[in-house]
Amino acid sequence: MKCIISGYGVSLDTSIAYFGDRSVPFWTDGIESPSFIACGDGYLFALTENSYYAAIYAYRREGMSYRLTDRRNVVGRALCHLAYSPVNKLLIGSCYGSGHVLCAQFDPETGKFGDVDAIEQVGDNQSRAHCAALNRAEDRVYTANLGLDKLFIYRVENGKLVEDAVVSAPQGSGPRHLRLSVDEKLLYVITEYSNQILVYDTSDWSLRQQVSTLPANHFGSSHCSTLCVSKDGRFVYAANRYADNIAVLEVGEDGLLTLKANFDCGGRSPRHMELTESGNHLVICCQNSDWVVIKHINTETGMPTHTTREIPFNAPACVAFL
């Protein structure tokens, strides 16, 4: 399994690393707080999450290493999420601190960023853009704004984002991350404050379901962080920070969810996680434990069977696969 891990390191520390099957990385770099990364077109994209400014980075893959080809300061504060569109050659960023969604043009031939648009999402409360996701055709971008309790949907036209719809989430829920169902008929949105997954119909943006990610007997603090969907669309996994468990939700024929079980994530504060392409491993970044946990998943039941590996890493925040 080859993956790239990033975390809340500081400059000169190892804050990004490329790992194979061993705990010794092939390549490392040290930039300030690269709390999220994305891959595409033979490049690794990273950011600096800082309360005062935002920066984006492009690294070209060269064998078992990466070489920095561009760095750009951009509009916004606390840039916390990236998504890359190979079809449109666009890097899309979400700024938790300022409420901006960034759209940076990118040239894979030169490894350089071009024009960067900054869209300010506005509303009655403090705007906190937190995530962007693309559909398979890469002509739609779905974004979650945790502070405004809204989803902003954009069309991609000529390298620009054009607002298509604004959808309300329940007040105080805090929509944080989102993923489309396999057939793209539904949008699954995980909420930081209400510890739920909201299920929206993408044809009319009606709210079809609200389901808790916590077991019925849970008492105490929890703030959801992220979710992922199995490739076959049968299971959704949701990370509960502070409760420190992963919820397994079964997907019905109608796409709606049933909480099946919760299992221990193997550490503290699961901030981000991803399923491998095969679906038989779930890689979990346990930020406050300083390690990344890899759980073997039974693809028939959706449940973990055992922990296959733990990778030591300072304040891990994101994992991406090549």
Side-chain angles (χ1 to χ4, degrees), residues 139-315:
D139 60 359
R140 291 288 187 279
V141 176
Y142 308 85
T143 72
N145 194 298
L146 188 151
L148 300 180
D149 290 323
K150 291 186 183 298
L151 312 176
F152 292 80
I153 293 87
Y154 302 95
R155 302 187 308 277
V156 183
E157 295 183 357
N158 300 316
K160 307 285 186 181
L161 300 187
V162 179
E163 189 176 293
D164 195 53
V166 180
V167 181
S168 294
Q171 186 174 4
S173 59
R176 179 182 168 96
H177 277 199
L178 40 76
R179 297 284 178 101
L180 285 159
S181 62
V182 170
D183 61 10
E184 300 193 343
K185 293 180 178 180
L186 299 172
L187 185 68
Y188 300 124
V189 183
I190 197 164
T191 64
E192 179 166 338
Y193 300 140
S194 64
N195 298 291
Q196 294 176 312
I197 295 178
L198 312 176
V199 183
Y200 287 90
D201 189 318
T202 58
S203 66
D204 60 6
W205 295 112
S206 58
L207 179 57
R208 296 280 305 280
Q209 186 185 25
Q210 296 175 245
V211 57
S212 175
T213 62
L214 295 170
N217 61 353
H218 175 80
F219 297 97
S221 177
S222 181
H223 291 290
C224 291
S225 58
T226 193
L227 76 167
C228 50
V229 181
S230 64
K231 188 176 180 180
D232 60 10
R234 294 176 56 207
F235 301 101
V236 172
Y237 297 86
N240 294 311
R241 289 179 299 172
Y242 314 125
D244 295 337
N245 64 55
I246 308 300
V248 184
L249 299 103
E250 199 157 11
V251 181
E253 292 184 3
D254 56 3
L256 301 185
L257 307 177
T258 301
L259 181 61
K260 179 175 182 176
N262 293 73
F263 64 87
D264 191 299
C265 70
R268 293 182 292 123
S269 296
R271 187 180 188 275
H272 184 251
M273 63 183 179
E274 288 288 355
L275 283 162
T276 56
E277 179 69 16
S278 64
N280 61 6
H281 286 93
L282 182 65
V283 184
I284 307 165
C285 294
C286 296
Q287 180 182 340
N288 292 341
S289 291
D290 292 334
W291 62 65
V292 174
V293 176
I294 302 176
K295 297 275 190 181
H296 182 269
I297 301 294
N298 181 322
T299 56
E300 289 301 312
T301 66
M303 296 298 297
T305 60
H306 60 280
T307 297
T308 61
R309 188 177 169 198
E310 293 177 351
I311 303 173
F313 200 90
N314 180 40

Side-chain angles (χ1 to χ4, degrees), residues 10-153:
V10 297
S11 183
L12 304 181
D13 288 340
T14 296
S15 55
I16 306 180
Y18 172 26
F19 286 93
D21 294 329
R22 299 180 180 180
S23 295
V24 177
F26 298 123
W27 166 86
T28 67
D29 198 9
I31 62 175
E32 181 189 358
S33 298
S35 64
F36 211 89
I37 51 178
C39 293
D41 279 338
Y43 283 83
L44 164 67
F45 301 97
L47 55 78
T48 282
E49 182 178 337
N50 186 291
S51 299
Y52 304 101
Y53 70 93
I56 53 176
Y57 306 75
Y59 294 85
R60 191 196 310 269
R61 185 177 179 186
E62 297 182 344
M64 302 303 287
S65 183
Y66 284 84
R67 179 174 62 86
L68 183 68
T69 59
D70 201 6
R71 179 195 183 281
R72 178 81 64 88
N73 280 7
V74 290
V75 171
R77 302 186 313 278
L79 177 59
C80 64
H81 187 276
L82 295 174
Y84 180 66
S85 169
V87 170
N88 300 291
K89 312 304 179 190
L90 294 175
L91 184 67
I92 300 162
S94 301
C95 293
Y96 176 82
S98 60
H100 289 92
V101 169
L102 309 176
C103 182
Q105 296 178 2
F106 183 72
D107 183 353
E109 293 297 320
T110 64
K112 302 294 184 182
F113 295 110
D115 293 340
V116 182
D117 288 339
I119 302 169
E120 188 175 5
Q121 297 180 337
V122 296
D124 295 333
N125 300 315
Q126 183 175 1
S127 182
R128 297 192 181 281
H130 212 294
C131 179
L134 293 119
N135 61 350
R136 272 191 297 275
E138 297 183 25
D139 60 359
R140 291 288 187 279
V141 176
Y142 308 85
T143 72
N145 194 298
L146 188 151
L148 300 180
D149 290 323
K150 291 186 183 298
L151 312 176
F152 292 80
I153 293 87

